[in-house]
Coordinates of all heavy atoms in Angstrom, one line a residue:
M182 N -19.6 -8.8 -10.0 CA -18.2 -8.9 -10.3 C -17.8 -7.9 -11.3 O -16.6 -7.5 -11.2 CB -17.9 -10.3 -10.7 CG -16.4 -10.6 -10.8 SD -15.8 -10.4 -9.1 CE -14.5 -11.6 -9.1
E183 N -18.5 -7.6 -12.3 CA -18.2 -6.6 -13.2 C -18.1 -5.3 -12.5 O -17.2 -4.4 -13.0 CB -19.2 -6.6 -14.4 CG -19.2 -7.8 -15.2 CD -18.0 -8.1 -15.9 OE1 -17.3 -7.2 -16.3 OE2 -17.4 -9.2 -15.9
L184 N -18.8 -5.0 -11.6 CA -18.8 -3.6 -10.8 C -17.4 -3.6 -10.2 O -16.8 -2.5 -10.2 CB -19.9 -3.5 -10.0 CG -19.8 -2.2 -9.1 CD1 -20.0 -1.0 -10.0 CD2 -21.0 -2.3 -8.0
L185 N -17.0 -4.6 -9.6 CA -15.7 -4.7 -8.9 C -14.6 -4.4 -9.9 O -13.6 -3.6 -9.6 CB -15.4 -6.0 -8.2 CG -16.1 -6.1 -6.7 CD1 -15.8 -7.5 -6.3 CD2 -15.6 -5.1 -5.9
K186 N -14.7 -5.0 -11.2 CA -13.7 -4.8 -12.1 C -13.6 -3.4 -12.7 O -12.5 -2.9 -13.1 CB -13.8 -5.8 -13.3 CG -13.5 -7.2 -12.9 CD -13.7 -8.2 -14.1 CE -13.4 -9.5 -13.6 NZ -13.5 -10.5 -14.7
T187 N -14.7 -2.7 -12.6 CA -14.7 -1.3 -13.1 C -14.2 -0.4 -12.0 O -13.6 0.6 -12.3 CB -16.1 -0.8 -13.6 OG1 -17.0 -1.0 -12.5 CG2 -16.5 -1.7 -14.8
V188 N -14.6 -0.6 -10.7 CA -14.1 0.2 -9.6 C -12.6 0.0 -9.2 O -12.0 0.9 -8.9 CB -14.9 -0.1 -8.3 CG1 -14.6 0.7 -7.1 CG2 -16.5 0.3 -8.7
F189 N -12.2 -1.2 -9.4 CA -10.8 -1.6 -9.0 C -10.1 -2.1 -10.3 O -9.8 -3.3 -10.4 CB -10.7 -2.7 -7.9 CG -11.3 -2.1 -6.5 CD1 -12.6 -2.6 -6.3 CD2 -10.6 -1.4 -5.7 CE1 -13.2 -2.2 -5.1 CE2 -11.2 -0.9 -4.5 CZ -12.5 -1.3 -4.3
P190 N -9.8 -1.2 -11.2 CA -9.2 -1.7 -12.5 C -7.9 -2.4 -12.3 O -7.4 -3.3 -13.1 CB -9.0 -0.5 -13.3 CG -9.1 0.7 -12.4 CD -9.9 0.2 -11.2
F191 N -7.0 -1.9 -11.4 CA -5.6 -2.5 -11.2 C -5.6 -3.8 -10.6 O -4.7 -4.6 -10.7 CB -4.7 -1.5 -10.6 CG -4.5 -0.2 -11.3 CD1 -4.9 0.9 -10.7 CD2 -3.7 -0.2 -12.4 CE1 -4.7 2.1 -11.4 CE2 -3.5 0.9 -13.2 CZ -3.9 2.1 -12.5
S192 N -6.6 -4.2 -9.9 CA -6.6 -5.4 -9.1 C -6.7 -6.7 -10.0 O -6.3 -7.7 -9.7 CB -7.8 -5.4 -8.1 OG -7.6 -4.5 -7.0
F193 N -7.4 -6.4 -11.2 CA -7.8 -7.6 -12.0 C -6.9 -7.5 -13.3 O -7.3 -8.2 -14.3 CB -9.3 -7.5 -12.4 CG -10.2 -7.8 -11.2 CD1 -10.7 -6.6 -10.6 CD2 -10.3 -9.0 -10.6 CE1 -11.6 -6.8 -9.5 CE2 -11.1 -9.1 -9.6 CZ -11.7 -8.1 -9.0
Q194 N -5.7 -6.8 -13.2 CA -4.8 -7.0 -14.4 C -4.2 -8.3 -14.2 O -3.9 -8.8 -13.2 CB -3.9 -5.8 -14.3 CG -4.3 -4.6 -14.6 CD -3.2 -3.4 -14.6 OE1 -2.1 -3.7 -14.0 NE2 -3.5 -2.2 -15.1
P195 N -3.8 -9.0 -15.4 CA -3.1 -10.2 -15.4 C -1.8 -10.1 -14.6 O -1.0 -9.1 -14.9 CB -3.0 -10.6 -16.8 CG -3.6 -9.6 -17.6 CD -4.1 -8.4 -16.8
K196 N -1.5 -11.0 -13.7 CA -0.3 -11.0 -13.0 C 0.4 -12.5 -13.1 O -0.3 -13.4 -12.7 CB -0.6 -10.7 -11.4 CG -1.1 -9.4 -11.1 CD -1.5 -9.1 -9.9 CE -2.9 -9.2 -9.6 NZ -3.9 -8.8 -10.3
K197 N 1.5 -12.5 -13.7 CA 2.1 -13.8 -13.9 C 3.1 -14.2 -12.8 O 3.4 -15.4 -12.8 CB 2.8 -13.8 -15.3 CG 2.0 -13.5 -16.4 CD 2.5 -13.6 -17.8 CE 1.5 -13.4 -18.9 NZ 2.1 -13.7 -20.2
D198 N 3.7 -13.2 -12.1 CA 4.6 -13.5 -11.1 C 4.5 -12.5 -9.9 O 3.6 -11.7 -9.9 CB 6.1 -13.5 -11.7 CG 6.4 -12.2 -12.3 OD1 5.5 -11.3 -12.3 OD2 7.5 -12.0 -12.6
V199 N 5.3 -12.8 -8.8 CA 5.1 -12.1 -7.6 C 5.5 -10.7 -7.9 O 5.0 -9.7 -7.3 CB 6.0 -12.7 -6.5 CG1 5.9 -11.8 -5.3 CG2 5.6 -14.1 -6.2
A200 N 6.5 -10.3 -8.8 CA 6.9 -9.0 -9.1 C 5.7 -8.1 -9.6 O 5.6 -7.0 -9.2 CB 8.0 -9.0 -10.1
A201 N 4.9 -8.7 -10.4 CA 3.8 -8.0 -11.0 C 2.7 -7.7 -9.9 O 2.2 -6.6 -9.8 CB 3.1 -8.7 -12.0
L202 N 2.6 -8.6 -8.8 CA 1.7 -8.3 -7.7 C 2.3 -7.3 -6.9 O 1.5 -6.4 -6.4 CB 1.7 -9.7 -6.9 CG 0.8 -9.5 -5.5 CD1 -0.7 -9.2 -6.0 CD2 0.9 -10.9 -4.9
V203 N 3.6 -7.2 -6.6 CA 4.2 -6.2 -5.9 C 4.1 -4.9 -6.5 O 3.8 -3.8 -5.7 CB 5.7 -6.6 -5.5 CG1 6.5 -5.4 -4.8 CG2 5.8 -7.8 -4.8
I204 N 4.2 -4.8 -7.8 CA 4.0 -3.5 -8.5 C 2.7 -3.0 -8.4 O 2.3 -1.9 -8.1 CB 4.5 -3.7 -9.9 CG1 6.0 -3.8 -10.1 CG2 4.1 -2.4 -10.8 CD1 6.5 -4.2 -11.4
N205 N 1.7 -4.0 -8.4 CA 0.3 -3.7 -8.4 C 0.0 -3.1 -6.9 O -0.7 -2.1 -6.9 CB -0.5 -4.8 -8.6 CG -2.0 -4.6 -9.0 OD1 -2.4 -3.4 -8.7 ND2 -2.6 -5.5 -9.5
I206 N 0.5 -3.7 -6.0 CA 0.3 -3.2 -4.5 C 1.0 -1.9 -4.4 O 0.4 -1.0 -3.7 CB 0.9 -4.4 -3.6 CG1 -0.1 -5.5 -3.6 CG2 0.9 -3.7 -2.2 CD1 0.4 -6.7 -2.8
L207 N 2.1 -1.7 -4.9 CA 2.8 -0.4 -4.9 C 2.0 0.7 -5.6 O 2.0 2.0 -5.1 CB 4.2 -0.4 -5.5 CG 5.2 -1.2 -4.6 CD1 6.6 -1.3 -5.3 CD2 5.4 -0.6 -3.2
I208 N 1.3 0.4 -6.6 CA 0.5 1.4 -7.2 C -0.7 1.8 -6.3 O -0.9 3.1 -6.2 CB -0.1 0.9 -8.5 CG1 0.9 0.7 -9.7 CG2 -1.2 1.8 -9.1 CD1 0.6 0.0 -10.9
Y209 N -1.3 0.9 -5.7 CA -2.4 1.2 -4.7 C -1.8 2.1 -3.6 O -2.4 3.0 -3.0 CB -3.0 0.0 -4.2 CG -4.2 -0.4 -5.0 CD1 -4.1 -1.7 -5.9 CD2 -5.3 0.3 -5.3 CE1 -5.0 -1.9 -6.7 CE2 -6.4 -0.1 -6.1 CZ -6.1 -1.2 -6.8 OH -7.2 -1.6 -7.7
L210 N -0.6 1.7 -3.0 CA 0.0 2.4 -1.9 C 0.4 3.9 -2.4 O 0.2 4.8 -1.6 CB 1.2 1.7 -1.4 CG 0.9 0.3 -0.7 CD1 2.2 -0.2 -0.2 CD2 -0.1 0.6 0.4
A211 N 0.7 4.1 -3.6 CA 1.0 5.4 -4.2 C -0.2 6.2 -4.3 O -0.2 7.4 -3.9 CB 1.7 5.3 -5.6
V212 N -1.3 5.6 -4.6 CA -2.6 6.3 -4.7 C -3.1 6.7 -3.3 O -3.5 7.9 -3.1 CB -3.7 5.5 -5.3 CG1 -5.1 6.0 -5.2 CG2 -3.4 5.3 -6.8
G213 N -2.8 5.9 -2.3 CA -3.1 6.2 -0.9 C -2.3 7.2 -0.3 O -2.7 8.2 0.5
L214 N -1.0 7.3 -0.8 CA -0.1 8.3 -0.2 C -0.4 9.7 -0.7 O -0.4 10.7 -0.1 CB 1.4 8.0 -0.7 CG 2.4 9.0 -0.2 CD1 2.6 8.9 1.3 CD2 3.7 8.6 -0.9
V215 N -0.7 9.8 -2.1 CA -1.1 11.0 -2.7 C -2.4 11.6 -2.0 O -2.5 12.7 -1.8 CB -1.2 10.9 -4.2 CG1 -1.9 12.1 -4.9 CG2 0.2 10.7 -4.8
A216 N -3.3 10.6 -1.8 CA -4.7 10.9 -1.3 C -4.5 11.5 0.2 O -5.0 12.5 0.5 CB -5.6 9.8 -1.3
S217 N -3.6 10.8 0.8 CA -3.3 11.3 2.2 C -2.6 12.6 2.3 O -2.9 13.5 3.2 CB -2.4 10.3 3.0 OG -3.0 9.0 3.1
L218 N -1.7 12.9 1.4 CA -1.1 14.2 1.3 C -2.0 15.3 1.0 O -2.0 16.4 1.7 CB 0.1 14.2 0.3 CG 1.2 13.4 0.7 CD1 2.3 13.4 -0.5 CD2 1.9 14.0 2.0
L219 N -2.9 15.0 0.0 CA -4.0 16.1 -0.3 C -5.0 16.3 0.8 O -5.3 17.4 1.2 CB -4.7 15.7 -1.5 CG -3.9 15.8 -2.8 CD1 -4.7 15.2 -3.9 CD2 -3.5 17.3 -3.1
I220 N -5.3 15.2 1.5 CA -6.2 15.4 2.6 C -5.6 16.0 3.8 O -6.3 16.8 4.6 CB -6.7 13.8 3.0 CG1 -7.6 13.4 2.0 CG2 -7.5 13.9 4.4 CD1 -8.0 12.0 2.0
G221 N -4.3 15.8 4.0 CA -3.6 16.6 5.1 C -3.5 18.0 4.9 O -3.7 18.7 5.8
L222 N -3.3 18.4 3.6 CA -3.4 19.8 3.3 C -4.7 20.5 3.5 O -4.9 21.5 3.9 CB -2.8 20.0 2.0 CG -1.3 19.8 1.7 CD1 -1.0 19.8 0.2 CD2 -0.5 20.7 2.5
L223 N -5.7 19.7 2.9 CA -7.0 20.3 3.0 C -7.8 20.2 4.4 O -8.6 20.9 4.6 CB -7.9 19.5 2.0 CG -7.6 19.9 0.5 CD1 -8.6 19.0 -0.4 CD2 -7.8 21.3 0.1
S224 N -7.3 19.4 5.2 CA -7.8 19.3 6.6 C -7.4 20.5 7.4 O -8.1 20.7 8.5 CB -7.4 18.1 7.3 OG -6.0 18.0 7.5
K225 N -6.5 21.3 7.1 CA -6.1 22.5 7.7 C -7.2 23.5 7.7 O -7.3 24.5 8.4 CB -4.8 23.1 7.3 CG -3.6 22.2 7.4 CD -3.3 21.8 8.7 CE -2.2 20.8 8.8 NZ -2.0 20.3 10.0
I226 N -8.1 23.5 6.7 CA -9.2 24.5 6.5 C -10.3 24.1 7.3 O -10.8 22.9 7.3 CB -9.6 24.6 4.9 CG1 -8.4 24.9 4.1 CG2 -10.8 25.4 4.8 CD1 -8.7 24.7 2.6
N227 N -10.8 25.0 8.2 CA -11.8 24.6 9.2 C -13.1 24.1 8.7 O -13.6 23.2 9.2 CB -12.1 25.9 10.1 CG -10.8 26.2 11.0 OD1 -10.0 25.3 11.2 ND2 -10.7 27.5 11.4
V228 N -13.6 24.7 7.6 CA -14.9 24.4 7.1 C -14.8 23.0 6.4 O -15.7 22.2 6.5 CB -15.3 25.4 6.0 CG1 -16.6 25.0 5.3 CG2 -15.4 26.8 6.7
L229 N -13.7 22.6 5.7 CA -13.6 21.3 5.0 C -12.9 20.2 5.9 O -13.0 19.1 5.4 CB -12.7 21.6 3.8 CG -13.1 22.5 2.8 CD1 -12.1 22.6 1.7 CD2 -14.4 22.0 2.2
G230 N -12.6 20.5 7.1 CA -11.9 19.5 7.9 C -12.7 18.3 8.2 O -12.1 17.1 7.9
V231 N -13.9 18.3 8.5 CA -14.8 17.0 8.8 C -15.0 16.3 7.4 O -14.9 15.1 7.4 CB -16.1 17.5 9.4 CG1 -17.0 16.3 9.6 CG2 -15.8 18.0 10.8
I232 N -15.3 17.0 6.3 CA -15.7 16.4 5.2 C -14.5 15.7 4.5 O -14.5 14.6 4.1 CB -16.2 17.5 4.0 CG1 -17.5 18.0 4.6 CG2 -16.4 16.9 2.7 CD1 -18.1 19.2 3.9
V233 N -13.3 16.4 4.5 CA -12.1 15.9 4.1 C -11.7 14.7 4.9 O -11.1 13.7 4.4 CB -11.0 17.0 4.0 CG1 -9.6 16.4 3.8 CG2 -11.3 18.0 3.0
S234 N -11.9 14.6 6.2 CA -11.5 13.4 7.0 C -12.4 12.2 6.6 O -11.8 11.1 6.5 CB -11.6 13.8 8.5 OG -12.9 14.0 8.8
L235 N -13.6 12.5 6.3 CA -14.5 11.4 5.8 C -14.0 10.8 4.6 O -14.0 9.7 4.3 CB -15.9 11.8 5.7 CG -16.6 12.1 7.1 CD1 -18.0 12.7 6.8 CD2 -16.7 10.9 7.8
V236 N -13.6 11.7 3.6 CA -13.1 11.3 2.3 C -11.7 10.5 2.5 O -11.5 9.5 1.8 CB -12.9 12.5 1.3 CG1 -12.2 12.1 0.2 CG2 -14.3 13.0 1.0
G237 N -11.0 11.0 3.5 CA -9.8 10.2 3.8 C -10.0 8.9 4.3 O -9.3 7.9 3.8
G238 N -11.0 8.6 5.0 CA -11.3 7.2 5.4 C -11.8 6.4 4.3 O -11.5 5.2 4.1
L239 N -12.5 7.0 3.4 CA -13.0 6.2 2.2 C -11.8 5.9 1.3 O -11.8 4.9 0.7 CB -14.1 7.0 1.5 CG -15.4 7.2 2.1 CD1 -16.3 8.1 1.3 CD2 -16.0 5.8 2.3
A240 N -10.8 6.8 1.2 CA -9.6 6.6 0.4 C -8.9 5.5 0.9 O -8.3 4.6 0.2 CB -8.8 7.8 0.3
D241 N -8.6 5.4 2.3 CA -8.1 4.4 2.9 C -8.7 3.0 2.7 O -8.1 2.0 2.5 CB -7.8 4.6 4.4 CG -6.9 5.7 4.7 OD1 -6.0 6.1 3.8 OD2 -6.9 6.4 5.8
L242 N -10.0 2.9 2.7 CA -10.8 1.9 2.6 C -10.6 1.3 1.1 O -10.6 0.1 0.8 CB -12.3 2.1 2.8 CG -13.2 0.9 2.7 CD1 -12.9 -0.1 3.7 CD2 -14.6 1.4 2.9
Y243 N -10.6 2.3 0.1 CA -10.3 1.9 -1.3 C -9.0 1.3 -1.5 O -9.0 0.2 -2.2 CB -10.5 3.2 -2.1 CG -10.2 2.8 -3.6 CD1 -11.1 2.4 -4.5 CD2 -9.0 3.2 -4.3 CE1 -10.9 2.2 -5.7 CE2 -8.7 3.0 -5.5 CZ -9.7 2.4 -6.4 OH -9.4 2.2 -7.6
V244 N -7.9 1.8 -0.9 CA -6.6 1.3 -1.0 C -6.6 -0.1 -0.3 O -6.0 -1.1 -1.0 CB -5.6 2.2 -0.4 CG1 -4.2 1.4 -0.2 CG2 -5.4 3.5 -1.2
T245 N -7.2 -0.3 0.8 CA -7.2 -1.6 1.4 C -8.0 -2.6 0.6 O -7.5 -3.8 0.4 CB -7.8 -1.5 2.9 OG1 -7.1 -0.5 3.6 CG2 -7.7 -2.8 3.5
A246 N -9.1 -2.3 0.1 CA -9.8 -3.2 -0.6 C -9.1 -3.6 -2.0 O -9.1 -4.7 -2.5 CB -11.2 -2.6 -1.0
G247 N -8.4 -2.6 -2.6 CA -7.8 -2.8 -3.8 C -6.6 -3.7 -3.7 O -6.4 -4.7 -4.5
V248 N -5.9 -3.6 -2.5 CA -4.8 -4.6 -2.3 C -5.2 -6.0 -2.0 O -4.7 -7.0 -2.4 CB -3.9 -4.1 -1.1 CG1 -2.9 -5.2 -0.5 CG2 -3.1 -2.8 -1.5
V249 N -6.3 -6.1 -1.2 CA -7.0 -7.4 -1.0 C -7.5 -8.1 -2.2 O -7.2 -9.3 -2.4 CB -8.1 -7.3 0.1 CG1 -8.9 -8.6 0.2 CG2 -7.5 -6.9 1.4
L250 N -8.1 -7.3 -3.0 CA -8.6 -7.9 -4.3 C -7.5 -8.3 -5.2 O -7.6 -9.4 -5.9 CB -9.6 -7.0 -4.9 CG -10.9 -6.8 -4.3 CD1 -11.7 -5.7 -5.0 CD2 -11.7 -8.1 -4.6
S251 N -6.4 -7.6 -5.2 CA -5.3 -7.9 -6.0 C -4.6 -9.2 -5.6 O -4.3 -10.0 -6.5 CB -4.2 -6.8 -6.0 OG -3.2 -7.0 -6.8
V252 N -4.5 -9.4 -4.3 CA -3.9 -10.6 -3.7 C -4.9 -11.8 -4.1 O -4.4 -12.8 -4.4 CB -3.7 -10.6 -2.2 CG1 -3.2 -11.8 -1.6 CG2 -2.5 -9.5 -2.0
L253 N -6.2 -11.6 -3.9 CA -7.1 -12.7 -4.2 C -7.1 -13.0 -5.6 O -7.3 -14.2 -5.9 CB -8.5 -12.3 -3.6 CG -8.8 -12.2 -2.2 CD1 -10.1 -11.7 -1.8 CD2 -8.5 -13.5 -1.6
D254 N -7.0 -12.1 -6.5 CA -7.0 -12.4 -7.9 C -5.6 -13.1 -8.3 O -5.6 -14.0 -9.1 CB -7.0 -11.1 -8.7 CG -7.1 -11.4 -10.2 OD1 -8.0 -12.2 -10.7 OD2 -6.3 -10.8 -11.0
Y255 N -4.6 -12.7 -7.6 CA -3.4 -13.4 -8.0 C -3.4 -14.9 -7.5 O -2.8 -15.7 -8.2 CB -2.2 -12.7 -7.3 CG -0.8 -13.3 -7.4 CD1 -0.1 -13.3 -8.6 CD2 -0.2 -14.1 -6.4 CE1 1.1 -13.9 -8.8 CE2 1.0 -14.7 -6.5 CZ 1.7 -14.5 -7.7 OH 2.9 -15.2 -7.9
T256 N -3.9 -15.2 -6.4 CA -4.1 -16.4 -5.9 C -5.1 -17.3 -6.5 O -5.4 -18.4 -6.1 CB -4.2 -16.5 -4.4 OG1 -5.4 -15.8 -4.0 CG2 -3.0 -16.0 -3.7
K257 N -5.9 -16.7 -7.5 CA -7.0 -17.3 -8.2 C -8.2 -17.7 -7.3 O -8.9 -18.6 -7.6 CB -6.6 -18.5 -8.9 CG -5.4 -18.2 -9.9 CD -5.8 -17.5 -11.0 CE -4.7 -17.4 -12.1 NZ -4.1 -16.1 -12.3
V258 N -8.4 -16.9 -6.2 CA -9.6 -17.3 -5.4 C -10.8 -16.6 -6.1 O -11.9 -17.2 -5.9 CB -9.3 -16.6 -3.9 CG1 -10.6 -16.6 -3.2 CG2 -8.2 -17.3 -3.3
I259 N -10.6 -15.4 -6.7 CA -11.7 -14.9 -7.4 C -11.2 -14.7 -8.8 O -10.1 -14.6 -9.2 CB -12.1 -13.5 -6.8 CG1 -10.9 -12.5 -6.8 CG2 -12.7 -13.6 -5.4 CD1 -11.3 -11.1 -6.4
K260 N -12.3 -14.8 -9.8 CA -12.0 -14.7 -11.2 C -12.7 -13.6 -11.9 O -13.7 -13.1 -11.6 CB -12.3 -16.1 -11.9 CG -11.5 -17.2 -11.4 CD -11.9 -18.5 -12.0 CE -11.2 -19.5 -11.3 NZ -11.2 -20.8 -11.9

């Protein structure tokens, strides 16, 4: 559990209301958007295309896991 708290620091911030949860989710979506923009620019380079697309998949997985962990922490399913 401590590893999850270090890898996903925004997911385990204290959330008192739904507005804090929405802001937390928007932070993860902003990270995903910036990563997608950078990956889109770097994928135009032929040599880096395959590697960058793999990193893009990992970035999408990070955003999805962060949002899920944030919702689970808000609903007190995990502590």
Side-chain angles (χ1 to χ4, degrees):
M182 192 58 151
E183 293 301 319
L184 179 64
L185 282 177
K186 289 182 180 181
T187 57
V188 175
F189 299 99
F191 294 115
S192 293
F193 295 100
Q194 288 180 349
K196 294 174 267 318
K197 296 185 181 193
D198 55 356
V199 177
L202 176 66
V203 170
I204 290 171
N205 200 342
I206 290 172
L207 289 175
I208 289 172
Y209 274 110
L210 292 179
V212 168
L214 179 67
V215 170
S217 295
L218 289 174
L219 288 174
I220 289 166
L222 291 174
L223 291 175
S224 67
K225 302 295 181 191
I226 301 171
N227 290 335
V228 177
L229 296 176
V231 174
I232 296 169
V233 170
S234 64
L235 291 174
V236 171
L239 290 175
D241 291 339
L242 185 63
Y243 177 80
V244 169
T245 304
V248 169
V249 168
L250 285 173
S251 183
V252 170
L253 289 177
D254 184 53
Y255 177 75
T256 58
K257 305 289 190 244
V258 172
I259 57 174
K260 297 180 184 188

